[in-house]
Amino acid sequence: VKVGNSIPCSGSSTGGRLSLGGIGQIDFLSGVSSQGRNDYLQRVFGTTNIPAFRGVASIVCRGTYIGESPYLENWAFELKRINASWQPALAEVGANGDMNPAHIIREVLTNSRWGMGYNTADIDDASFVSAAQTLYTEGFGMSLVWDRGTEINDFVPEILRHVDGSIYIDRTTGKFKLKLIRPDYDVDLIPWIGEAQIIKVGDFKTKAKTETINTVAITYHNRESSDSGSVTVQDLALHAKAGATVASTLEYPGITDHTIATKVAWRDLQSLS
């Protein structure tokens, strides 16, 4: 819990009474299905007929000291939700304890309350487990909020953009398959398409050296500072040939780790250049 520039409370809680040094007490309501009505709100409003506020995380200030200034300090809370109902050993990823993107995508597809509502039988489990294992090994977790301001059909592509992946329906099984774009192939086994197979090439264009991207800057969410972080990488050879900086700036709000942000920047530079 952060109030202004101070942190009156830190640690781990799954719900209940928290003491904020010099400020008072708050109740953290995690929103679980068994959550009861808050006793403080019942006493203040003089009635037991209040909601239990299930299904949403909330804070109740128990007469906390706000201050004497007419301007309120900014309050901020760091909360975590990890859905470990599937492949629990792989659900939480990286030093920041973010959620495995493969788990996020799977929940979006199968959640019947706010997701797309597909049956688990519609998921190709082997491909999702493989992707989850790769992301876990890479330490590639994500933290971001889907707040219904974005269509859920746009939310999954945003996750795939972060991790450089693709989702498709297998034509033989009719199931959703998740595939990460990684160097996990044998070059000698890749199908070769040359002049003997190509009938016609139309509207073919290539960029000049002076137009090719040689610098990539990405912004991400820096967990430690609770602010935006940035990473910039550059292809020095292309920069020298172009004689100038040709840059592209990309945003990855779901990334919270500087090391992962740097890897993604190099990945995108390799692709764009």
Side-chain angles (χ1 to χ4, degrees), residues 13-18 26-31 35 57-60 79:
S13 172
T14 57
R17 191 76 41 81
L18 302 176
I26 62 173
D27 291 335
F28 169 37
L29 311 182
S30 61
Q35 184 167 278
S58 56
I59 297 291
V60 175
L79 302 102

Side-chain angles (χ1 to χ4, degrees), residues 23-43:
I23 296 178
Q25 293 181 323
I26 62 173
D27 291 335
F28 169 37
L29 311 182
S30 61
V32 295
S33 59
S34 59
Q35 184 167 278
R37 295 179 173 89
N38 183 262
D39 64 324
Y40 178 77
L41 293 181
Q42 291 184 60
R43 189 169 72 250

Side-chain angles (χ1 to χ4, degrees), residues 111-128:
N111 189 289
S112 59
R113 186 164 60 88
W114 54 262
M116 296 181 179
Y118 287 99
N119 294 321
T120 55
D122 296 322
I123 306 297
D124 183 283
D125 239 27
S127 69
F128 273 76

Side-chain angles (χ1 to χ4, degrees), residues 80-87 91 99-120 123 125 128 132 142 144 146 148 152 155-156 159 167 176 178:
K80 177 191 296 187
R81 174 188 178 274
I82 300 290
N83 185 356
S85 60
W86 172 79
Q87 294 294 320
M99 190 161 163
N100 194 316
H103 285 64
I104 298 175
I105 294 173
R106 192 178 189 278
E107 185 179 13
V108 171
L109 291 174
T110 59
N111 189 289
S112 59
R113 186 164 60 88
W114 54 262
M116 296 181 179
Y118 287 99
N119 294 321
T120 55
I123 306 297
D125 239 27
F128 273 76
M142 287 178 60
L144 74 170
W146 176 65
R148 293 182 173 84
I152 199 164
F155 184 56
V156 170
I159 301 169
I167 191 168
F176 286 101
L178 177 59

Side-chain angles (χ1 to χ4, degrees), residues 96 98 141-143 220-224 253-258:
N96 288 337
D98 298 321
M142 287 178 60
S143 286
Y220 66 100
H221 177 74
N222 189 316
R223 173 72 58 75
E224 294 182 0
I255 294 176
T256 67
D257 181 78
H258 180 80

Side-chain angles (χ1 to χ4, degrees), residues 209-228:
K209 288 289 188 291
T210 55
E211 299 175 314
T212 304
I213 300 294
N214 57 45
T215 303
V216 166
I218 73 168
T219 59
Y220 66 100
H221 177 74
N222 189 316
R223 173 72 58 75
E224 294 182 0
S225 65
S226 296
D227 204 350
S228 294

